[in-house]
Amino acid sequence: MQKLDVVLGLQWGDEGKGKIVDVLTPEYDVVARFQGGPNAGHSIYFGDKSFVLHTVPSGIFRPNTYNIIGNGVVVDPIILMKEIHDLEQMGVDVKSKLYISKRAHLILPTHRLLDVASEKAKGDKKVGTTGKGIGPTYTDKIARVGLRMGDLLLPDFKERYDALTNEHLARMGKDTAVDHEEWLNAVKELVEKFKDNFVESEIVVNKWLQEDKRILAEGAQGSLLDIDFGSYPFVTSSNTLCAGACTGLGVAPSHIGKVYGIFKAYCTRVGSGPFPTELNDETGEQLRRLGHEFGATTGRPRRCGWLDLVALKHTITLNAANSLIMMKSDVLDGFDTIKVCVGYQTKDGKTLDYFPMYVEEMDITPVYKEFPGWKTDTTSCRSYDELPKELRDYIEFIEKETGVSIDIVSVGPNRDNTIVR
Ligand code: GDP
Ligand code: IMO
Ligand code: MG
């Protein structure tokens, strides 16, 4: 039986998962999303075209690859239909390549409103969510009252929808304005066009693995946003770690193969919460400007800072990542000095070499190791040997510290700005 490979983010999301999944797709028969929803924004560049995917897996642009939205994903039909229309406009045949789990939960318009209302009520303690209704949808899933993709096919779906949205409105105020029409129209079109693509994805995925088909699971968000192991409560509402691929697709842990861990050569974070190496200075501004660090989903400026090896080692362990992919090292091309955090110094003088549980404990000062910059444009490099020595030293230091090899280095947003070692 074939094993399922996983690609996931080792930081706070936006590591470049979309690009790498698109690059790796030709090696696979199937690409599957297993958690998260339209809070994700996965950018893909090829030639002079670019696209941001929110719900559809990043294998969709390659011919001969099936794409599955797994049971662990939460789906907003409005966003999904818009994405499908945009893909079709680009000439992508979505209908013949996309399957959707009947068990995937639906994001209702009231979930979005609840998300926004809950953030507003938190004031300056807000999580800084994407406002896509992710938290409230997963809350209903766990409370066993949510609606699923397969429920759209039931004769009493509208009654179930009314009951749940009324319950939400009772919490928010009955006169809260809700656009039911737009959502129900999207659902109607989704069912009309894609009913035959609704599947029991756990059965399909396991059958394909038995038939020796190669499947790549595409994570969303990042390991430090995991509901259990991220900096709670400043996290998303799903398991973003490798374990999420098992529950989000119905695949047993013994069937997990390669785990590709993706990280940026520096760090970014959108939304609130601890970020030990954050730079609120001209260097942080430079990283944001050169890395175009603005959210692919919300357009918000991303917080930027140096690479954090303490956090990286922690997430490599939690995922048992056995192949690393380093993204966006080209953004550092012009820096004189590059810093890497190798420890956390607490207020009472201790040095932590692990990622602590309590947010308050994160009142720490990073201990940095400095590297000389390479001051060379690397975007046209296509082999490891072509990279400047200073960058190779940086890569090899990270490999030594983490004990895992960096098998791919990405030196630009396009498919071909990629070095496979
Ligand atoms: P994802 O959510 O993990 O798929 O990442 P995003 O798409 O949200 O953010 C990554 C951004 O970096 C996108 O704009 C990508 O086009 C861009 N990108 C990806 N890899 C590279 C790279 O190696 N160099 C540069 N300069 N940009 C990259
Ligand atoms: P991709 O897949 C970066 C962040 C939000 C917020 C927290 C909770 O593109 O890497 P949510 O809307 O999920 O309830 O927000 O998680 N967040 C992301 N940050 N990339 C993402 O996805 C994210 N998805 C959610 O900014 O801090
Ligand atoms: Mg993103």
Side-chain angles (χ1 to χ4, degrees):
M1 183 153 166
Q2 190 61 257
K3 300 242 186 209
L4 177 105
D5 293 347
V6 186
V7 162
L8 47 82
L10 293 173
Q11 294 161 323
W12 284 281
D14 302 326
E15 295 89 351
K17 299 174 291 292
K19 163 174 170 168
I20 284 303
V21 170
D22 173 67
V23 165
L24 293 175
T25 296
E27 292 176 32
Y28 291 88
D29 301 299
V30 185
V31 176
R33 274 279 304 269
F34 57 89
Q35 46 67 235
N39 46 351
H42 295 181
S43 324
I44 298 176
Y45 282 77
F46 46 97
D48 57 355
K49 293 196 181 113
S50 70
F51 202 90
V52 180
L53 291 159
H54 301 286
T55 308
V56 174
S58 302
I60 199 74
F61 288 103
R62 301 286 192 172
N64 317 318
T65 304
Y66 289 118
N67 291 263
I68 296 196
I69 298 171
N71 57 280
V73 177
V74 290
V75 179
D76 184 331
I78 297 177
I79 296 176
L80 176 59
M81 282 320 297
K82 178 172 184 317
E83 206 164 308
I84 290 174
H85 286 154
D86 291 348
L87 286 165
E88 286 175 344
Q89 285 243 306
M90 284 179 88
V92 178
D93 177 7
V94 181
K95 172 89 175 123
S96 70
K97 293 200 292 189
L98 181 70
Y99 292 98
I100 309 166
S101 169
K102 286 183 183 171
R103 294 179 195 268
H105 276 249
L106 289 163
I107 302 176
L108 311 188
T110 42
H111 283 132
R112 259 183 282 134
L113 296 171
L114 282 168
D115 188 0
V116 174
S118 137
E119 284 283 275
K120 203 166 157 207
K122 287 184 184 131
D124 59 7
K125 295 211 162 49
K126 71 174 189 224
V127 175
T129 71
T130 58
K132 303 291 174 190
I134 305 299
T137 306
Y138 279 116
T139 301
D140 278 354
K141 172 178 176 173
I142 300 300
R144 297 161 294 186
V145 297
L147 293 173
R148 298 182 289 173
M149 221 61 201
D151 297 337
L152 294 174
L153 307 175
L154 300 177
D156 64 345
F157 175 74
K158 182 62 171 49
E159 284 98 90
R160 290 171 187 239
Y161 172 84
D162 289 341
L164 188 53
T165 50
N166 283 335
E167 192 274 312
H168 292 156
L169 284 170
R171 275 189 260 158
M172 286 186 287
K174 289 230 178 298
D175 41 357
T176 306
V178 188
D179 190 344
H180 296 291
E181 204 65 19
E182 187 192 17
W183 195 88
L184 291 167
N185 284 340
V187 158
K188 189 160 172 272
E189 195 190 352
L190 180 61
V191 171
E192 273 169 15
K193 286 198 185 159
F194 284 88
K195 177 168 85 245
D196 297 338
N197 301 39
F198 290 9
V199 291
E200 320 251 341
S201 59
E202 61 286 8
I203 295 175
V204 175
V205 166
N206 281 291
K207 181 169 160 279
W208 278 344
L209 288 175
Q210 259 155 14
E211 290 169 357
D212 254 2
K213 291 219 163 42
R214 300 210 56 201
I215 307 184
L216 182 65
E218 173 183 6
Q221 290 75 59
S223 302
L224 295 167
L225 290 171
D226 182 88
I227 182 74
D228 281 286
F229 299 103
S231 42
Y232 192 90
F234 302 105
V235 293
T236 191
S237 299
S238 64
N239 280 118
T240 57
L241 298 178
C242 181
C246 296
T247 53
L249 289 171
V251 171
S254 55
H255 292 153
I256 299 292
K258 210 160 176 175
V259 180
Y260 293 102
I262 308 198
F263 67 100
K264 279 184 206 179
Y266 51 97
C267 278
T268 64
R269 173 165 203 172
V270 208
S272 325
F275 181 175
T277 60
E278 180 169 16
L279 295 167
N280 291 306
D281 59 8
E282 176 48 35
T283 310
E285 193 51 53
Q286 209 180 339
L287 285 171
R288 185 173 310 114
R289 197 175 55 248
L290 296 170
H292 304 288
E293 296 296 354
F294 295 89
T297 296
T298 58
R300 290 178 292 176
R302 294 173 181 152
R303 300 157 64 195
C304 297
W306 296 120
L307 181 65
D308 184 340
L309 269 185
V310 181
L312 193 69
K313 284 193 220 172
H314 178 67
T315 54
I316 287 173
T317 304
L318 291 172
N319 289 298
N322 45 28
S323 176
L324 297 182
I325 302 179
M326 185 166 94
M327 311 297 291
K328 301 187 91 161
S329 53
D330 56 295
V331 172
L332 304 178
D333 280 354
F335 284 72
D336 293 324
T337 304
I338 287 141
K339 294 190 190 180
V340 182
C341 169
V342 291
Y344 299 152
Q345 180 110 54
T346 61
K347 286 272 172 287
D348 52 4
K350 280 192 220 133
T351 304
L352 304 182
D353 60 358
Y354 66 94
F355 201 78
M357 166 178 169
Y358 291 107
V359 171
E360 308 84 74
E361 265 191 65
M362 299 299 288
D363 187 14
I364 46 92
T365 313
V367 180
Y368 286 116
K369 181 172 166 59
E370 290 192 14
F371 288 82
W374 40 94
K375 311 281 280 175
T376 316
D377 180 350
T378 58
T379 50
S380 55
C381 295
R382 292 294 174 270
S383 71
Y384 190 67
D385 298 342
E386 281 175 72
L387 293 177
K389 178 172 184 311
E390 292 83 353
L391 174 51
R392 282 186 276 123
D393 287 346
Y394 185 67
I395 291 171
E396 286 158 29
F397 174 75
I398 299 167
E399 289 184 316
K400 191 164 140 278
E401 284 291 302
T402 59
V404 186
S405 59
I406 298 179
D407 296 325
I408 299 178
V409 181
S410 173
V411 291
N414 255 284
R415 275 176 183 168
D416 54 356
N417 298 128
T418 311
I419 295 169
V420 181
R421 287 170 79 189

